[in-house]
């Protein structure tokens, strides 16, 4: 779960921490929840994509992605709906 505003200042750290957790957790599937991210930003989408790439590399199934309303609008505007749908497989 991600909450607050993801800015350029913290995005790299958040992305790296998520990838580190994915590697160490040894889970078979995950759900990503960005519902508490109140500000739409391409930075948040970039963090999500970094985690999706890590899941693909680690063969972890992504069961769901939940985006806040502002992030849903941004993803739709950028025509990324198919990549950020609530039910995906990495």
């Amino acid at each position: 779960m991600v909450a607050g505003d993801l800015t350029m200042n913290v995005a790299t750290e958040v992305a790296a921490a998520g990838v580190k957790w994915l590697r160490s957790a040894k889970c078979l599937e995950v759900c990503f929840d960005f519902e508490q991210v109140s500000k739409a930003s391409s930075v948040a989408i970039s963090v999500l994509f970094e985690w999706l790439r890590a899941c693909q590399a680690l063969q972890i199934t992504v069961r769901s992605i939940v985006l806040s309303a502002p992030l849903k609008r941004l993803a739709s505007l950028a025509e990324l709906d198919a990549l950020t749908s609530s039910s995906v497989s990495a």
Side-chain angles (χ1 to χ4, degrees):
M1 181 169 131
V2 180
D5 292 336
L6 282 175
T7 64
M8 290 295 285
N9 295 336
V10 298
T12 303
E13 292 173 27
V14 171
V19 170
K20 182 178 178 182
W21 180 83
L22 288 166
R23 286 185 182 137
S24 67
K26 300 194 188 297
C27 50
L28 299 176
E29 57 186 45
V30 294
C31 299
F32 294 128
D33 184 346
F34 284 71
E35 196 166 27
Q36 300 301 315
V37 176
S38 57
K39 190 175 184 180
S41 168
S42 60
V43 172
I45 300 294
S46 295
V47 168
L48 173 60
F49 285 162
E50 182 67 22
W51 292 352
L52 290 174
R53 282 190 293 274
C55 286
Q56 187 174 28
L58 296 166
Q59 299 180 334
I60 298 171
T61 300
V62 179
R63 286 287 167 209
S64 68
I65 299 170
V66 179
L67 300 177
S68 64
L71 285 176
K72 282 181 192 174
R73 286 190 296 275
L74 178 62
S76 181
L77 181 65
E79 298 180 354
L80 298 171
D81 298 320
L83 295 173
T84 60
S85 67
S86 61
S87 180
V88 299
S89 292

